Amino acid sequence: MTKYVGQSVARKDANEKVTGQALYAFDIDYIPNMLIGKFLTSTIAHGKILSIDTTEAEKLPGVVAIVTGKDWPVKIGLYAGDRDILAVEKVVWIGQPVVAVAAESETIAEEALSLVKIKYDPLKPIFDPVEAMSSKDRLVHEKMADYNHSPAFHPIPGTNIANHFKLRKGNIDHGFKQADEIFEYEYSMPQISHAYLEPIVSIGHYRKDGTIVVWSSAQSPFTVRYLLGITFATQTSNITVKSPFLGGGFGGKAGLNFEPLAVLLSRKANNRPVKLSLTREENFKSAPIRVGMVAKLKTGVTKKGKITAQQVEYIWDSGACADYAVNVGRAAGYVSIGPYDIENIKSDSYTVYTNKPYATAFRGFGHLELHWVIERQNDIIAKKLGIDPLIFRKINTLKPGTGITGNQHRLREDAGCIDECLDKVWSELKKNKEKTTPLKPWIFRGIGIAGFMKGPAQPPNSASSAYVKFNEDGSAIVSIGTSEMGQGTITSLAQIAADELGLPIEKIKIRGDRDTDRDAYTWQTVGSRSLFMDGNAVKNACLNAKDQIFDTASQVLRVPKKDLVIKNELISPRGEPWKHLSISEVVMGYMYPTGESIGGPVIGHGKYIAKMTILDSETGAGNPAIFETFGAQGVEIELDALTGKITINKLISAFDIGKAINPQLCEGQVIGGSVMALSIAMSEQLQYSDTGELLNPSFVDYIISRPGDIPKEFITHFIENPQEDGPYGARGIGELTMIGVPAALGNAIADAMNVDIFDLPITSERVWTEIQKQRPEIIASLKEKLMEEEK
């Protein structure tokens, strides 16, 4: 019986954050002899570097070190080693760091950079990913064949294609021949910013003994450590990465960012630590962003609504580097048809270089994008066939235990049920649709729904570990590697530990910061994997600790280990709670009245490794995920036909998460993720000039949702079909909370006015333009009514 799992326990990190005691990387300014680092960036999108003159900058008092790409010409990256620490032979986007300086103050560093002279030989840039995919004469990376690549990825040298992922199932030509109707449409989404509150900060210290210490606003400190070892050709034990509290990440801090540059500056600056703090504008122009996407979708269906064939092409705009973006394209590729059981599939997912800022992981990892395509198309098809959109989806959804995914993998019986999610959302949407009518004739009401699925995108050997140690009073410290950046994972893991160890949750401590020398290993904090994988590791660590505790207690109580239980900080024989020992009497070693002692300090350890397979390079066949979380989301909107303004009355979500470890945290994730998704759907886009200059590198011009944009009402349902190998049956939810929102919004607009939107963001201007194009008769009718009212 659980005491804490399933309960809405208050966040473990709340007090530190609310009181301002939480330490972020930006706050670290007490390291002795620390210098300030700044970098100078490219002013052209594509060009050869002819010369860099740092003579005048070097003379400036207070300048300690200046570095260029030639000081350490090593390509860095996790999946594709395609990025320079500083540009070496050429620049590939406006904002690419070219020269860096370490100085006694920020003012001196900035003045030094103003004295640096760089000469370029401009090359013709390429900004359109579709054009870039077919271009052979304008290459962002001419030497791509020489780069290191993970074997899971398939670049095409001599092109701008950084990766081509294929998904094949059945016979696509036969599938289209079976179809009564064939539908073809194109969709797109722009590059966007992660828009986290805390800009990237990296502090590097290359010490005199060759060891390296880094403090960084990093989601995945163990990955940073691993990649720094490769970058500086040193063993992992020589590197320590410390990651304080994070002010948001959303994938933007998942890989290697500016840590190597800070370390390189420190190495050149006589081994003094160097702090690099990006301004908001630098974060927009020089730090990673989310991929853009262009898609073509061709669907064959019968008159009764069965999808017979799905052919899709995704083109992902990775910008100038594709290290993490290749995995986004891969993950979206193997889930490219969404949560549907389709016999005949041909899907090609291309990750393509362009001369724009480079892309990385982003919350949802390509799934928000692919479901925008799939779920918009599903609604269009259902309407054309005259089939209810819920029924059309349920005809084709994957069913637990029988459904075959696009990877030709049978769905687990305990995988969860998307049909239940769809039913919950649709019933809520239909409740009030016909009960009220808008007050004005130019206001149109509509509802829209979208289904979806997502699991963690990670390699088959990704793993998590945990250990638990005890203090003299019986309280416990749980060590994990996953980062806390607002999702609440450490609270959920504390709940698991408290129930497993029979302790009050107040006696479970999990730190909010990370240190690779101190903490247990985990692969990365990405993909909604932490609760599932680190949760299993914590549970196993607690079981291991209990086994040690029972070893000692069984000798003292003279009861077999199998008959012992822990409850309320007491160890006792099952059914005989009056014969007990306190945990505090045992966990540091038990001493008999005579002074004889047995046992010793208990340290429990646990681990968990992914249960997946490598995917076939030609078909994508295999098992790519440890779990799939299914969900559905819907919106009820009011649309002003005269202005294109959209008001969200309701946002409804349903997720089959197996088990809600902490319902309040889950609900918080739903609200936060949904609002973020609405922001992406309705306003967010990075805009560029004809020369590749980013035009909106601030929150003044890069529009994100404000409080007035929040829906009037949130309705959330958590469905609990537990997965047997999940911790207490739980699956991840964090990324899922945003995946269906854009498609549901697009479908609601179509429902309201029979206007189809194919490109994000759905701004008021875009909606108004499409109404004028697609429904001019409505506008004419409204104008007549307004004129009559004026008379």
Side-chain angles (χ1 to χ4, degrees), residues 11 13 17 248 250 363-364 483-490 492 525 527-531 633 651 653 655 657 662-677 714 716 718 731-739 741:
R11 292 179 65 113
D13 57 337
K17 290 181 176 178
F250 309 120
R363 188 178 188 178
S483 296
E484 174 57 63
M485 51 188 171
Q487 74 276 45
T489 304
I490 63 173
S492 296
T525 308
S528 304
R529 68 182 287 277
S530 295
L531 177 63
Q633 289 178 300
L651 198 152
S653 303
F655 306 93
I657 58 175
N662 187 317
Q664 187 178 55
L665 285 179
C666 290
E667 190 170 356
Q669 285 289 291
V670 173
I671 293 172
S674 299
V675 172
M676 185 178 186
F714 290 91
T716 304
F718 297 121
R731 291 181 281 270
I733 184 179
E735 292 179 303
L736 271 290
T737 58
M738 60 188 299
I739 289 176
V741 172

Side-chain angles (χ1 to χ4, degrees), residues 99-141:
V99 180
V101 61
E104 299 290 352
S105 71
E106 185 175 358
T107 301
I108 295 172
E110 290 176 343
E111 186 178 352
L113 292 177
S114 72
L115 299 173
V116 174
K117 298 179 178 64
I118 306 174
K119 291 183 179 179
Y120 299 105
D121 178 14
L123 299 171
K124 191 174 182 181
I126 193 161
F127 303 121
D128 182 348
V130 177
E131 183 183 358
M133 193 169 81
S134 59
S135 176
K136 297 292 172 67
D137 57 338
R138 283 188 286 163
L139 299 181
V140 180
H141 294 269

